[in-house]
Amino acid sequence: EVKLVESGGGLVQPGGSLRLSCAASGFSLSGYSMNWVRQAPGKGLEWVSYMSSNGNTIYYADSVKGRFTISRDMAKNSLYVQMNSLRAEDTAVYYCTRDGTNDYWGQGTLVTVSS
Amino acid sequence: DIVMTQSPDSLPVSLGERATINCKSSQSVLDSSSNNNYLTWFQQKPGQPPKLLIYWASTRESGVPDRFSGSGSGTDFTLTISSLQPEDVAVYYCQQFYNAPYTFGQGTKLEIK
């Protein structure tokens, strides 16, 4: 069974950092591209970042470019996003998703940026 | 960037009636070499993550009821629910994954009339 479990969210002050994790099971990250997608409270979906199946191609939304870094650990079959210089507008539930079609989603982890 | 525009923003439909949601992209999302439209549709219910309904614009995901169908090509796409059921009340999103950034539409809130 395919499963994605995000963790690492929480309350952080503006300018702070946070690293989110996504533990994947039921498939290997080496076979699929992965994404981070976020949703601010009461708002729509916003794609954040993409990593190809071989890890060689990475994209970011302009809103996070230079502040967020996507990575993965194949031994742990886990995806990460390091978020630096956090702003109030980064407050959202962050989901990891599988494949270009986003065929599987985790339950999400809430990041709140506030003083 | 490709801008995805959905219409309407809100859609009241009677139970058993047809619901139609439109999605327009600012550029074509059709890959001519594969003849695939890089367009997906999602359903999101309150408190839940989105669920994939349709990919390649018209291919229904496994387990999705056949009352859901997708159509269109190039820049204009439609999600149709042939006979609205109470469990279909949700927000629906389209997304293109043709070119990064992989943009979503703003969402359409489907409700019972």
Side-chain angles (χ1 to χ4, degrees):
Chain A
E1 178 196 8
V2 171
K3 200 169 183 182
L4 298 169
V5 179
E6 302 93 339
S7 61
L11 175 63
V12 61
Q13 292 189 338
S17 298
L18 216 52
R19 188 177 88 147
L20 306 184
S21 302
C22 170
S25 58
F27 71 101
S28 172
L29 291 186
S30 64
Y32 290 87
S33 60
M34 298 291 291
N35 299 276
W36 286 99
V37 175
R38 69 184 180 183
Q39 186 168 36
K43 302 297 184 183
L45 301 170
E46 180 186 15
W47 171 82
V48 172
S49 184
Y50 162 95
M51 175 178 279
S52 62
S53 58
N54 63 12
N56 290 340
T57 300
I58 287 173
Y59 299 123
Y60 297 99
D62 285 346
S63 58
V64 307
K65 202 173 294 182
R67 301 187 299 122
F68 288 16
T69 303
I70 192 171
S71 64
R72 66 184 184 180
D73 183 331
M74 300 306 292
K76 294 182 178 179
N77 209 36
S78 291
L79 183 74
Y80 305 96
V81 61
Q82 176 68 41
M83 306 186 298
N84 298 330
S85 303
L86 283 162
R87 307 166 180 167
E89 54 264 36
D90 296 317
T91 294
V93 173
Y94 285 74
Y95 298 99
C96 67
T97 75
R98 190 183 82 160
D99 195 48
T101 60
N102 299 309
D103 58 353
Y104 285 91
W105 296 62
Q107 287 299 311
T109 187
L110 175 62
V111 172
T112 303
V113 184
S114 174
S115 54
Chain B
D1 296 0
I2 298 176
V3 177
M4 307 299 290
T5 304
Q6 292 181 226
S7 60
D9 290 334
S10 179
L11 180 61
V13 176
S14 300
L15 289 173
E17 295 300 305
R18 177 184 299 261
T20 301
I21 299 171
N22 299 300
C23 175
K24 188 174 183 67
S25 58
S26 60
Q27 304 170 36
S28 175
V29 298
L30 172 64
D31 177 49
S32 54
S33 60
S34 64
N35 204 35
N36 281 327
N37 287 281
Y38 282 59
L39 190 285
T40 50
W41 287 99
F42 299 92
Q43 175 194 66
Q44 187 178 31
K45 297 180 180 180
Q48 296 183 19
K51 172 188 173 183
L52 176 66
L53 296 176
I54 304 283
Y55 58 96
W56 301 134
S58 60
T59 301
R60 198 179 304 114
E61 174 72 336
S62 175
V64 173
D66 61 6
R67 64 180 179 273
F68 290 90
S69 63
S71 62
S73 184
T75 61
D76 291 278
F77 302 92
T78 300
L79 175 70
T80 301
I81 307 172
S82 59
S83 175
L84 189 70
Q85 302 301 303
E87 60 267 30
D88 300 334
V89 170
V91 179
Y92 292 82
Y93 296 92
C94 61
Q95 186 201 16
Q96 64 82 18
F97 60 109
Y98 182 70
N99 272 342
Y102 300 134
T103 40
F104 288 90
Q106 79 276 17
T108 295
K109 187 173 185 178
L110 180 59
E111 56 190 26
I112 306 294
K113 184 189 291 184

